């Protein structure tokens, strides 16, 4: 009987440990399995150098979502970015999406400047007013060789 109690206690301990590992993996991995807290919005860019999946999407410096998917649209010669935006955040079709950098050499993120006069967007809609990533190396080389005007 004592052996059965030890085996049961060890089994429960292992089970609780596995559940804790699964929970932390889901939370830290930013996996949203059972949530409908977000809606999808797409944007097309001519250059998204350095932007990665799960990069934050911000408005007024507050995180309102993240980048879900990045794909190449060869038909239109653009990079198509799918974002997940929190449902309580209402965007209009005249919002401007820009690729920004945290600090001088930091990670890339998307910044949304809200519109105001446009129509509200629904899940799956596309924002057309976008600003691509600024290529810092290109700017430095233009400045170094005196070709800043181009």
């Amino acid at each position: 009987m004592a052996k059965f109690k030890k085996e049961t206690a060890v089994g429960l301990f292992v089970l609780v440990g596995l559940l804790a590992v699964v929970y932390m993996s889901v939370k830290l991995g930013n996996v949203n399995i059972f949530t409908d807290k977000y809606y999808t919005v797409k944007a097309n860019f001519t250059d998204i150098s350095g932007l990665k999946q799960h990069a934050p999407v911000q408005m007024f410096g507050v995180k309102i979502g993240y980048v879900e998917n990045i794909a190449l649209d060869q038909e239109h010669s653009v990079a198509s970015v799918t974002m997940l935006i929190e449902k309580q955040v209402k965007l209009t079709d005249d919002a401007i999406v820009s690729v920004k950098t945290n600090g001088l050499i930091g990670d890339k993120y998307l910044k949304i400047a809200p519109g105001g006069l446009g129509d509200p967007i629904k899940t799956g809609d596309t924002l057309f007013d976008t600003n691509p990533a600024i290529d810092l190396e290109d700017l430095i080389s233009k400045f170094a060789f005196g070709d800043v005007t181009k």
Side-chain angles (χ1 to χ4, degrees), residues 69-123:
N69 189 26
I70 298 173
L72 179 63
D73 183 357
Q74 290 183 328
E75 183 178 326
H76 298 102
S77 299
V78 293
S80 179
V81 177
T82 304
M83 301 169 278
L84 288 177
I85 306 294
E86 295 176 359
K87 282 194 173 180
Q88 71 261 19
V89 177
K90 305 299 181 201
L91 296 175
T92 56
D93 60 0
D94 60 345
I96 302 168
V97 186
S98 305
V99 179
K100 297 291 185 179
T101 305
N102 275 333
L104 189 58
I105 55 173
D107 291 334
K108 301 281 183 166
Y109 69 96
L110 292 179
K111 177 181 179 183
I112 298 180
L117 301 176
D119 297 325
I121 61 171
K122 298 178 283 296
T123 186

Side-chain angles (χ1 to χ4, degrees), residues 120-139:
I121 61 171
K122 298 178 283 296
T123 186
D125 284 352
T126 301
L127 295 173
F128 294 102
D129 199 358
T130 60
N131 294 325
I134 296 174
D135 188 5
L136 191 59
E137 292 175 2
D138 188 40
L139 285 176

